[in-house]
Amino acid sequence: MRQTVQPIQAAFQFLTRFPVKAELDFTPELLRASTRHYPLVGAAIGLSMCAATLVASWLLPPLPAAVVSLIIWVWLTGGLHLDGWMDCADALLSYRSREKMLEIMKDSRVGAMGVLACVLLLMLKAALLSSLIAAGQLAISCALLTVPVWSRWFMVYAMSKWPPARGGEGLAARFEGLNASHAQSAAVSAILITFLGMTIPLLVFGVTIGLPAASYGIYFFAAPLLTLAAGIYAGGKVNKKLGGLTGDVYGALNEGLESLLLLAAVILFL
């Protein structure tokens, strides 16, 4: 029982601000075991975001509701992945040597490129959330119950596919040894969660005029395929530059894929 519960607790403590009260020793073994539950963490974030966005959209116009929802989203994750996004922007857009880029990522200070990348990303997410709110309750529910699931699944896939860029040092090295079975197990969870996340809103809200059921069927298959294709492309490019990935890169991939999946949802559901 403990071997099952602790990895779930570790996944929630590591990736979110959910009040999971447990004294855990974050060993590499526990961190690797926790990755199987990353889609579950994404589902919890998505469910919380769905509820918050539906309430905000009922109280406020689309744009203010989107901004409030985004604030809650960032708070739920503690800005963990945004930090990686900013560090990667500073490093990868510096066009320096591999060693210098890795050094920039380790620097706790944020540079101009990191700030710009963060501002632009948050603006894009707010705009996309606003568009989903305008599309209605069904679009909000199906998108938000899906997006955080697949973006976190890809972090597991990335850990299993590419080596840590700093060898035995850094956060990524603590996940070294992750194999395809972890990614496959997480993928099964992500598929089941996505099925429930898209079926239940259809049953609750129904298909509204102008939003044919085909769009939701397409998104069910498009979300994982788009995640995999875009993630492999981005991860492969970074791997060539750095000779592996870092913890910051995992976070940046999560942020980028969330935005891409929200964009796909807006295109399909509007």
Side-chain angles (χ1 to χ4, degrees), residues 98-223:
R98 172 186 178 273
E99 291 71 22
K100 185 62 178 177
M101 285 191 285
L102 289 173
E103 184 182 331
I104 291 171
M105 283 188 186
K106 289 180 69 176
D107 194 335
S108 60
R109 295 169 296 181
V110 179
M113 293 308 299
V115 172
L116 285 171
C118 182
V119 170
L120 292 173
L121 180 77
L122 292 175
M123 287 176 61
L124 175 61
K125 279 191 169 183
L128 294 172
L129 284 171
S130 178
S131 297
L132 286 171
I133 289 170
Q137 295 172 323
L138 185 56
I140 294 169
S141 302
C142 288
L144 293 181
L145 291 173
T146 302
V147 168
V149 173
W150 285 107
S151 63
R152 279 155 188 79
W153 168 79
F154 191 80
M155 289 197 292
V156 184
Y157 180 86
M159 291 170 190
S160 68
K161 182 174 177 62
W162 293 290
R166 295 191 177 96
E169 299 180 2
L171 177 62
R174 305 194 71 189
F175 292 94
E176 191 173 13
L178 213 68
N179 54 48
S181 68
H182 290 81
Q184 291 166 0
S185 176
V188 171
S189 297
I191 291 169
L192 292 174
I193 291 167
T194 301
F195 178 77
L196 292 174
M198 296 195 71
T199 301
I200 293 173
L202 281 169
L203 295 174
V204 173
F205 298 117
V207 180
T208 57
I209 297 173
L211 291 174
S215 296
Y216 296 92
I218 292 170
Y219 192 69
F220 178 84
F221 293 101

Side-chain angles (χ1 to χ4, degrees), residues 72-112:
I72 295 172
W73 199 340
V74 173
W75 180 83
L76 281 173
T77 61
L80 175 67
H81 308 306
L82 274 176
D83 180 68
W85 176 265
M86 290 186 287
D87 286 343
C88 284
D90 280 333
L92 297 173
L93 298 178
S94 69
Y95 302 103
R96 306 287 185 87
S97 65
R98 172 186 178 273
E99 291 71 22
K100 185 62 178 177
M101 285 191 285
L102 289 173
E103 184 182 331
I104 291 171
M105 283 188 186
K106 289 180 69 176
D107 194 335
S108 60
R109 295 169 296 181
V110 179

Side-chain angles (χ1 to χ4, degrees), residues 10-98:
F12 275 90
Q13 281 193 358
F14 184 62
L15 295 178
T16 74
R17 288 183 179 272
F18 286 112
V20 177
K21 295 181 180 180
E23 294 294 329
L24 301 174
D25 181 12
F26 282 90
T27 62
E29 292 76 20
L30 180 58
L31 285 171
R32 287 194 292 268
S34 72
T35 60
R36 298 179 187 272
H37 307 289
Y38 278 18
L40 179 62
V41 174
I45 292 171
L47 185 61
S48 301
M49 281 304 305
C50 182
T53 305
L54 289 172
V55 171
S57 66
W58 179 64
L59 295 171
L60 300 167
L63 185 55
V67 173
V68 169
S69 300
L70 186 56
I71 291 171
I72 295 172
W73 199 340
V74 173
W75 180 83
L76 281 173
T77 61
L80 175 67
H81 308 306
L82 274 176
D83 180 68
W85 176 265
M86 290 186 287
D87 286 343
C88 284
D90 280 333
L92 297 173
L93 298 178
S94 69
Y95 302 103
R96 306 287 185 87
S97 65
R98 172 186 178 273

